[in-house]
Each structure stands twice: as structure tokens, then as C-alpha cells.
Amino acid sequence: MRYIFSILFSTILLSNLQAQNKITGKLIDEKQKIQKLATVLLLKSSDSSLVKSTLTNESAIFSFNEIGNGSYLIFANGMGYQKSYTPITINGKDQNMENITLKIEAVNLGEVTVVSRKPFLEQRADKLVVNVEGSATAAGSNALEVLQKVPGVIVRNEQVTLAGKSNVNIMINGKSSQYTDINQVLATTSASNIEKIELISNPGARYDAAGGAIINIILKKNADLGTNGTVSLANGMGLYKKDGNPIDRNFYRFTPYVSINHRKGKVNVYGNINFFHRNLYSYNEYERVIPPSRFLQSKYEPNERNSSSYRAGVDYYADDKNTFGFLYRGYSLGSLEEAVNNTQQFNSNTGALISTFQTLNNNHIKRNNQAGNVNWKHSFDSTGKELNVDLDYSNYQLNNTNDIQNIVSSGASTKSTQSINNPVQFTVLKIDYSHPINKDTKFELGSKLSFATIDNAIVFKNGDVVDPRRSTNFQYKENINAVYSSFMKKLGGWEINAGLRVEQTIATGDSMQVQVLNRNYIQLFPSFFLTRTIDKNISTVFQYSKRVNRPSYQQQNPFIEYADSLTYSKGNPLIRPEMLDAYKIGLTYQNQPFFSISYNKTNDVIFNSAPKQDGNQTFVTPENLGTYENVTFELNFPLNFGKKISGYGGNHLIYNHYKADYLGGVYDNAKWNWQAYWQVAYKPKPTWSIEISGFYTTKFLQEFLTINPLGSLNLAIQKTFWDKKGKLTLNFNDVLFTEKSTAMIDYQYINIKAREMEESRNVRLAFTYTFGNQKLKEIRSRESASDAESNRVKSN
């Protein structure tokens, strides 16, 4: 690793200092009239990012001082004139430009309305981009609910699958969240803060090797100059028959969100805060056959959550080459889950009732995270040669207290308490260097060091007496060292991107002072992407990457966590990482995804919920059981009719195949399933929009579960006003209440049927208002260092 850092810092020290030059010019129109107080911007040629801005003076003259060598564009604009772009190259001397002439913009008399709108789907070389900003069906939602409207994504019990693959790494702004539990973060992040979602089937070497496909949620960015922000307020209510079986009351949500950004001179200050109050429910029914008994169990779990997330930072633009930043962020969640479990035990042969009992489980949940990040960005020149350094420190605190009471039919009861204390700390250093060789060739190099310490303590009490068999303390330490390089080249109609990432993992685990885990290994992760442009409309892509899915810290924790008297989960400290090879070929039309085929094979696949029997109790534990193959055919098409109706539709044909040696037999199960998804918007007027969206999937396979068909239909009506700064949206979700699932497991002596539903049908009213300057350069969107580590901290 010292050699890696020597290369990176030597690059900085040996880089030539660039001369500082001056650019001056004058702005006139076609009639030689001078243009006073007109906007002039200096942009980088490589990516059109803003370097400096100014106004012409009373003599229509503008100037830029202290400009480094490189290629630039001079952007000039005046009211009633066409935009002008003038290329200029600085090479060691001042530049006095010839007059820039603005052309008068042609105007046709009469009313003309021009609307520019991003397509909902955009296929790029390495990812699919879903532009959700402005979608009426997203208003008033949280990020988890927005994901339900993304093609191929299914959210079930707050678990996300993409085209049949459950090993999905969810990132926010290029990082896997700085918070404790990514599902909790998504459930408490306002959709009004989301710009777009990227689906990255095969991540390249720049990304951490952990995880399979990536879903990257891009939050909205504020303008870079002046003051601006967003205020959003949403309320919602569930729509159910309140007949007490099982739903006995209304469920509400209240979600205010505020963000603000201010830049003056060299200092940019920004921040946002999101509060989320929501009560919701889940209802589950299970039928278990454990000869000679059959158990019928129902579980009703209302849940009240109060959470807040906040983010504040400052960027200091020291000069044209150096930017320093500090970011502070936090997250807090308090939740009370009051589960009522009713169980009936029958004779499986005669059907006679043997006994009944009830389990009350009140789960008090607290989650807190405080984190800080310092960063430095150095631009060597205007060609895009850059160095980024990030240092992160994160501290989490996860606490659960379960008060469990078992009541038999006679009225007798027993009480127990389970307390979980789980502090987690990360320290991560990340360095990335980008070196464009020319406009068609680019080289990247980077490294990362991460250190994690996790202390998992559980105390189980029967009454007031500690049960040592069910209490434990598991301490886990992990160090991951990584280095990567990638090379990108455009050659004619071809674009090649190849990379290699090397990661060393050092991990130890101690349970009750006894070492149960000691690992030290190195892994290689190659990636390769090839794009071929056939003509101006059609392109083909080929992608390959090797990935690893490391078990979460809680999966390796050997403690037992009880849901009720018949059901519990148990960690596995000896579980190994699973390895994935991912391939994809595709065809695009006008950069829209049209057709693709992907193949993924996972070895040492982790079955997260491998079922087992312990007497009359059923428990699940993570296990490395065998192999998993996934094949996906994807076909997308536009749904555009005239000028007022636009949208898309699509299909996935998915094949899942699991093969594993388990419970004395061979689990060899495969199944095809079909997914359909759609979103259509009708705009009767420029300020009105009506959207219909939804999905449907046939019966599919997930580990040992066979899940029956499910789907959802959503409707939204949106009105914009105040020059599009105000937006009011009425949203109906899961209108037909079909987002309910039934599933079964039938393997060896495990025989379980399940029916599950949750608070999915609701109506929401959301208001959003943006203020300030929304038209200038965006703030820089940075990745912090602790990306993949945070995503492995699970609360459930």
C-alpha cells in the first residue's frame, strides 16, 4: 500500500506548475452595438463546467484573470440574442480576443410553447438512468416507494430485488449511505429530494467490489451561485376497511423537508433536514406443518416511526485548482413495534385443536449515526486531470429492546426481555486520481483503506434472570485495503473501458472471549465494457464484471433474536463471501434501452434465510449453500401518442436457478417468471399532468421461497404554478390493493405457507416550492469514503 500512495503523491509533487494568464474581450451585436452588463462565462472544454463568470462593463469589455493553461469555451448571452460559444486555448501568455458578435434571435409572432423534457429512461454505456424528477407518482413518497416505480425493481418487506437478483447494493450520490441501515434511510428520505436513479448492472473497477448490481439514487443539487433551496411538505393516509380484522385504525404520515444552499465568493454553504413521522403496519399469516402438528399463526404489527436526517457542509474554493470541503451528517430513528402473534396448534392428521397461545412482542428501536468527512479536490489543469482525497469517520449506535410475553389459553403467562446493543465505528481513507490523455483516452487510479470495529452484545432475560444460553457478546474487526486502475478509450465507433480492482480483507471475530473467525485473503476483480455505435440511432453494449458480496456484520453475529415463541433468527460467524460473475449484452435505440440479455452466476451463494427446525420452533440463519444462476431478457418500448401522452413500457423474462446441498438433500429448483412495468403521463395543459404507473410479476423464486404473482397500480395528478416554482400533487398508491404476497417453502421436512401484506395503499397530498437562483452551476456532488462499509450495517 505504501507503494500505491507513493505513486499518487509523487504525481502531485512532480506535476508542472501552470502559468497564470489573462483573457480579455469585447461583446457586440451584428449592428456593432456594444453589449453592456451581459453575462460571460468561462467553461472547461472537457466537460463544460464553470471556471469563472463575469459581466461586461460599460464599454462591453470582459476579462478573466489567473487562468491556467488549457482549452476553454467563452459562453456569452444577452437578452434577445442567441447563445454564443467561442473556443480559446491558453498556452503560457495572455489572450486579447477578437470581438465576440452576438446574433439576434429570430422571434415568430404568436403564442409559442416550447417544452424540453428528459426521457424517463436513458441507456448509457455502463448504466440505465431513470429520470424521476418531476414524476407526479413520486410526490409525497419516500425513496423506498420511489424504487417501486423503477423498471424491474420489486420492494417486498423493505427488501429490494432487481430483475430477480436480491444482492443489490443501494447507493446515494455514489455512496452506499453514511447511515446505519440503508432500508431505514430509504424509508425516511423524501422523494422530493431525488433527481434520478441509476441502475448499474455491472459496476466497474472504480466501485467497491462488494455487492452485485448497483442502484444509485442521485439527490437533487442546488445552484452554485447565490442562494436557493427547496421546501416540501407531504401528508398521507392509508385507505383500508377498518373492521378490526386485522386493520383496526387509520395510518398517517407527515414529511416536511427543507434544503438550502448559499455561495458567496469562494465559500459555499449548504444543508438540508428531513423529518419523517409515520405509523404503518404489517400483517402476516403462516401455516407450518411439523408432524404430528400443524400450526396456524397470525402476526399483526403496527409500527410508529419518528426519524430525522440532516446534512450540513461547507466547500472552500481556494483557487482554480484546489477545493476543500467539510461535511457533517447524522441520522436518528425512534420506533415502537407492537406485534401481536396468535397461534393455534392442531393435530396434522385429525385436525383436532391441541392448544392456543399468544405472544406479545413490543420492540423499542433506536438508531443514531454521527459522521464527518473532510475532502480535498485538486485540478491539475483544464483537461480534467484531477485528484480527490476523502477521509471519513462514522459512529453508529443501534439499540433494540424486546419485551416478550407468552400467554397460553389458561391465562398463564411468562415474560422475557431481549436487549441488543450494537455500536459500530468506521474510519475510511479514499484517494482517486483521473488522468485524461486526450479527449478520447482516459486513465484512472485509486486506493482505499477502511477500518471497522463492531461490538454486538445481546442480553436475554427470563423474567429478571439472565439466560446465558441466549446471551452473547460478539466483537468483530475488519480491515479492507484496495487499489484499482481503469482505462477508457474511444476509437472510431468503439468505446472500451477496462479495469482491475485488488482487495485485501483482514477480519477477526471473538464470541464471548473465544476467537471464532480469523481471515486474511486477497481477491482480484476485473471488469470490461465495450460499446459499438452502429449508426446515429443504434448502439450495442457488452459488459462483464466480477463482484463479491461480503456478509453483513449482523449476519456474522452468532446471537439469537426472537420474533415470537416459535420463530427466531440466528447469525453465522463462519459464513463466507459469495462471488459473482456478471455478463450483459444489449441493444439501444437513440440511447433508449431497447433489448438486452444478462447472465449472472454466483458461487458460495449466501441464502440469507435458510430455514431449519428446532423442535416446534422454526428459525432462519444465513448459509453458504451452493450456486445461483440468473438469466434476464429485457425489452423496453416507448408509449408516446401525439404531443400530450408520453411514457414507456417494458418486460423482463427472468430465469432463477438455485442448486444447494442442504438438510441431507439437494435443493435443485429453477423457475421462469415475467415482469411487466409501465408509466404513462398525460399533459392536457402545460401546468397539469396525470400519470398512471405500475408493475405486475408472475410467480417467482427467491432462495427457498416460491412467491405467487403480485402487482401494483398507481395514479397521480399534478399541478404546477408560480412559474413552475410551486407544485401540488395528489397521489394514489396501490389503488387495487394488490401489492400483497403469498409464498411457500416445501423442501425436505420444511413445509411453510405464508401470506403477507403491509401499509401500501394510501393517498398523499404533497406541496413543493423552490426558491432562489435555480439556473447557475451546480454544487459538486462528491462521494465520501465510507461507501460499501455502511451498507453492510443492517438493523434487521
Side-chain angles (χ1 to χ4, degrees):
M1 297 308 296
R2 289 180 300 188
Y3 177 71
I4 296 168
F5 286 115
S6 297
I7 294 174
L8 290 173
F9 286 112
S10 296
T11 303
I12 305 170
L13 296 174
L14 295 176
S15 294
N16 294 327
L17 295 176
Q18 303 295 317
Q20 302 299 306
N21 310 285
K22 182 177 181 179
I23 301 173
T24 57
K26 187 175 182 179
L27 211 58
I28 61 174
D29 67 10
E30 294 172 302
K31 298 180 180 180
Q32 303 300 306
K33 182 180 178 181
I34 63 173
Q35 298 299 301
K36 298 182 292 184
L37 302 178
T39 301
V40 184
L41 305 179
L42 180 65
L43 311 175
K44 289 183 180 180
S45 292
S46 57
D47 58 6
S48 297
S49 61
L50 181 64
V51 178
K52 289 190 175 184
S53 62
T54 189
L55 297 174
T56 56
N57 62 17
E58 293 294 326
S59 301
I61 294 173
F62 64 88
S63 65
F64 297 109
N65 298 318
E66 298 181 356
I67 306 302
N69 292 343
S71 299
Y72 299 91
L73 293 173
I74 301 292
F75 168 82
N77 191 23
M79 186 173 295
Y81 294 92
Q82 298 178 15
K83 296 176 181 179
S84 170
Y85 292 90
T86 305
I88 184 172
T89 300
I90 303 300
N91 188 16
K93 62 181 180 179
D94 295 345
Q95 291 286 337
N96 189 5
M97 302 180 63
E98 295 182 358
N99 292 346
I100 296 177
T101 302
L102 296 181
K103 296 182 179 180
I104 297 175
E105 189 159 22
V107 178
N108 294 323
L109 297 178
E111 182 179 352
V112 178
T113 302
V114 179
V115 178
S116 177
R117 187 176 183 182
K118 290 182 179 179
F120 190 78
L121 301 178
E122 290 183 87
Q123 181 66 62
R124 301 181 184 175
D126 58 343
K127 59 195 170 189
L128 172 66
V129 179
V130 184
N131 293 302
V132 299
E133 184 179 14
S135 172
T137 55
S141 306
N142 58 43
L144 199 62
E145 292 165 332
V146 170
L147 282 178
Q148 293 174 304
K149 300 173 176 64
V150 172
V153 174
I154 292 180
V155 180
R156 179 177 171 273
N157 294 332
E158 295 193 348
Q159 299 299 313
V160 178
T161 62
L162 173 61
K165 300 182 286 291
S166 59
N167 179 23
V168 179
N169 185 16
I170 300 175
M171 309 177 80
I172 297 179
N173 278 353
K175 49 189 179 293
S176 301
S177 169
Q178 300 82 22
Y179 304 92
T180 55
D181 183 343
I182 188 64
N183 289 329
Q184 296 285 4
V185 175
L186 296 176
T188 54
T189 297
S190 172
S192 62
N193 195 29
I194 298 176
E195 176 187 348
K196 60 186 176 182
I197 297 175
E198 299 174 338
L199 306 182
I200 308 173
S201 301
N202 298 304
R206 184 183 183 91
Y207 294 95
D208 286 282
I214 288 177
I215 298 177
N216 186 23
I217 298 174
I218 306 296
L219 302 181
K220 292 179 182 177
K221 307 161 192 155
N222 297 313
D224 197 16
L225 304 175
T227 302
N228 57 85
T230 301
V231 177
S232 176
L233 180 63
N235 283 283
M237 181 182 73
L239 301 174
Y240 307 98
K241 294 180 180 179
K242 291 167 282 297
D243 53 11
N245 188 26
I247 307 166
D248 56 1
R249 59 188 172 94
N250 291 324
F251 295 86
Y252 300 94
R253 69 175 69 194
F254 175 67
T255 318
Y257 168 81
V258 178
S259 70
I260 192 167
N261 183 88
H262 175 75
R263 178 172 180 184
K264 185 176 182 180
K266 295 184 176 183
V267 178
N268 186 71
V269 181
Y270 59 93
N272 62 58
I273 184 167
N274 185 82
F275 177 75
F276 201 96
H277 169 77
R278 183 183 182 187
N279 51 36
L280 62 157
Y281 77 90
S282 65
Y283 178 75
N284 305 316
E285 293 178 349
Y286 302 101
E287 179 181 356
R288 298 181 176 92
V289 177
I290 306 175
S293 298
R294 181 171 67 97
F295 296 88
L296 295 181
Q297 180 184 3
S298 66
K299 178 183 177 182
Y300 174 51
E301 186 175 30
N303 176 0
E304 182 167 315
R305 297 178 181 177
N306 289 289
S307 69
S308 60
S309 59
Y310 41 90
R311 185 172 182 263
V314 58
D315 289 326
Y316 175 66
Y317 298 84
D319 52 40
D320 292 339
K321 297 188 176 193
N322 295 284
T323 303
F324 300 90
F326 172 76
L327 175 64
Y328 173 78
R329 58 196 181 270
Y331 170 78
S332 177
L333 168 71
S335 178
L336 174 61
E337 300 174 350
E338 299 176 300
V340 179
N341 296 268
N342 293 301
T343 304
Q344 296 174 296
Q345 181 182 4
F346 300 88
N347 184 292
S348 60
N349 295 319
T350 66
L353 180 65
I354 298 174
S355 67
T356 62
F357 55 92
Q358 185 180 70
T359 301
L360 306 179
N361 188 348
N362 291 340
N363 187 11
H364 301 263
I365 300 172
K366 291 184 178 180
R367 303 282 184 268
N368 289 286
N369 166 233
Q370 305 291 322
N373 167 266
V374 291
N375 54 87
W376 168 45
K377 176 184 176 181
H378 177 76
S379 299
F380 294 93
D381 53 35
S382 63
T383 64
K385 186 163 60 174
E386 293 179 348
L387 177 77
N388 283 276
V389 180
D390 272 277
L391 177 64
D392 250 31
Y393 174 77
S394 300
N395 190 328
Y396 306 89
Q397 188 66 47
L398 292 73
N399 298 96
N400 279 28
T401 302
N402 293 72
D403 295 318
I404 304 170
Q405 183 178 9
N406 293 312
I407 306 171
V408 297
S409 55
S410 65
S413 67
T414 60
K415 293 184 178 180
S416 57
T417 303
Q418 180 177 262
S419 300
I420 299 174
N421 181 29
N422 184 203
V424 181
Q425 294 181 338
F426 294 120
T427 302
V428 182
L429 174 65
K430 187 169 181 281
I431 300 176
D432 299 290
Y433 174 69
S434 178
H435 187 107
I437 299 173
N438 53 48
K439 67 183 182 67
D440 295 326
T441 309
K442 183 179 179 181
F443 175 75
E444 290 182 341
L445 175 70
S447 62
K448 177 179 176 180
L449 288 84
S450 69
F451 301 88
T453 302
I454 301 95
D455 191 356
N456 301 271
I458 183 169
V459 177
F460 192 95
K461 292 183 179 180
N462 292 311
D464 295 325
V465 180
V466 174
D467 186 342
R469 296 174 305 166
R470 303 180 183 180
S471 302
T472 188
N473 191 312
F474 180 67
Q475 295 178 321
Y476 180 83
K477 294 183 179 180
E478 182 182 82
N479 166 221
I480 297 178
N481 304 310
V483 60
Y484 76 88
S485 65
S486 61
F487 178 77
M488 288 145 278
K489 176 70 176 179
K490 291 182 179 180
L491 188 63
W494 296 89
E495 181 177 343
I496 302 170
N497 187 330
L500 178 65
R501 189 178 186 93
V502 183
E503 293 191 351
Q504 178 191 28
T505 302
I506 304 170
T508 60
D510 296 326
S511 179
M512 305 298 288
Q513 311 293 316
V514 177
Q515 189 173 76
V516 294
L517 177 66
N518 188 359
R519 290 180 178 153
N520 187 337
Y521 55 90
I522 295 176
Q523 295 170 301
L524 303 180
F525 301 97
S527 60
F528 181 76
F529 309 93
L530 182 65
T531 302
R532 168 62 173 167
T533 301
I534 298 175
D535 59 31
K536 65 178 182 179
N537 291 320
I538 300 176
S539 297
T540 59
V541 296
F542 170 79
Q543 302 173 352
Y544 166 76
S545 65
K546 192 175 188 66
R547 310 286 292 166
V548 62
N549 181 35
R550 297 186 181 91
S552 72
Y553 305 119
Q554 276 72 22
Q555 283 179 318
Q556 297 176 97
N557 193 328
F559 67 63
I560 295 173
E561 186 173 356
Y562 282 85
D564 55 66
S565 59
L566 289 179
T567 312
Y568 66 90
S569 60
K570 183 179 181 180
N572 180 3
L574 300 181
I575 193 169
R576 302 180 304 278
E578 61 182 21
M579 301 298 296
L580 166 70
D581 289 285
Y583 305 83
K584 184 176 182 178
I585 58 174
L587 184 68
T588 66
Y589 180 76
Q590 293 182 347
N591 288 329
Q592 302 291 297
F594 176 63
F595 179 74
S596 68
I597 304 173
S598 61
Y599 172 75
N600 305 275
K601 184 173 182 179
T602 306
N603 293 308
D604 273 344
V605 62
I606 298 174
F607 281 63
N608 185 56
S609 300
K612 293 185 178 181
Q613 298 290 161
D614 181 10
N616 284 338
Q617 293 182 324
T618 300
F619 70 97
V620 295
T621 184
E623 295 272 9
N624 296 102
L625 294 183
T627 60
Y628 164 59
E629 291 180 287
N630 167 265
V631 180
T632 301
F633 295 85
E634 181 178 356
L635 177 65
N636 296 288
F637 47 86
L639 294 173
N640 300 321
F641 304 95
K643 297 181 179 179
K644 294 184 177 182
I645 298 177
S646 63
Y648 75 94
N651 300 266
H652 280 136
L653 183 61
I654 302 168
Y655 173 78
N656 286 332
H657 179 206
Y658 294 90
K659 188 173 183 180
D661 296 322
Y662 191 58
L663 300 179
V666 177
Y667 177 71
D668 192 349
N669 202 359
K671 192 166 191 63
W672 286 93
N673 75 285
W674 171 65
Q675 285 183 20
Y677 42 87
W678 61 89
Q679 183 178 49
V680 181
Y682 169 59
K683 294 182 71 70
K685 295 182 179 180
T687 59
W688 284 91
S689 178
I690 302 172
E691 286 189 8
I692 298 176
S693 65
F695 79 93
Y696 175 79
T697 181
T698 60
K699 184 182 294 186
F700 62 99
L701 187 65
Q702 184 176 325
E703 297 183 1
F704 288 100
L705 279 171
T706 299
I707 303 172
N708 290 321
L710 67 137
S712 181
L713 179 67
N714 312 296
L715 173 66
I717 303 171
Q718 185 177 93
K719 166 68 174 175
T720 61
F721 43 89
W722 298 337
D723 195 24
K724 296 187 178 181
K725 291 185 176 182
K727 185 186 300 180
L728 188 66
T729 307
L730 184 63
N731 219 324
F732 298 89
N733 291 275
D734 195 13
V735 175
L736 304 178
F737 199 28
T738 53
E739 204 168 317
K740 298 177 287 188
S741 64
T742 58
M744 67 174 297
I745 300 176
D746 187 8
Y747 173 69
Q748 296 293 84
Y749 52 80
I750 307 294
N751 190 315
I752 301 173
K753 295 180 181 179
R755 173 175 174 252
E756 301 175 342
M757 64 180 180
E758 56 189 17
E759 203 268 313
S760 61
R761 185 168 69 175
N762 50 63
V763 58
R764 300 192 296 264
L765 182 65
F767 170 76
T768 302
Y769 176 71
T770 57
F771 59 90
N773 184 0
Q774 302 292 322
K775 297 182 179 179
L776 296 178
K777 179 177 175 283
E778 299 168 339
I779 64 170
R780 60 193 187 117
S781 176
R782 296 180 290 100
E783 298 179 19
S784 73
S786 57
D787 45 10
E789 292 75 17
S790 298
N791 198 43
R792 294 169 61 203
V793 184
K794 308 291 185 183
S795 64
N796 295 315

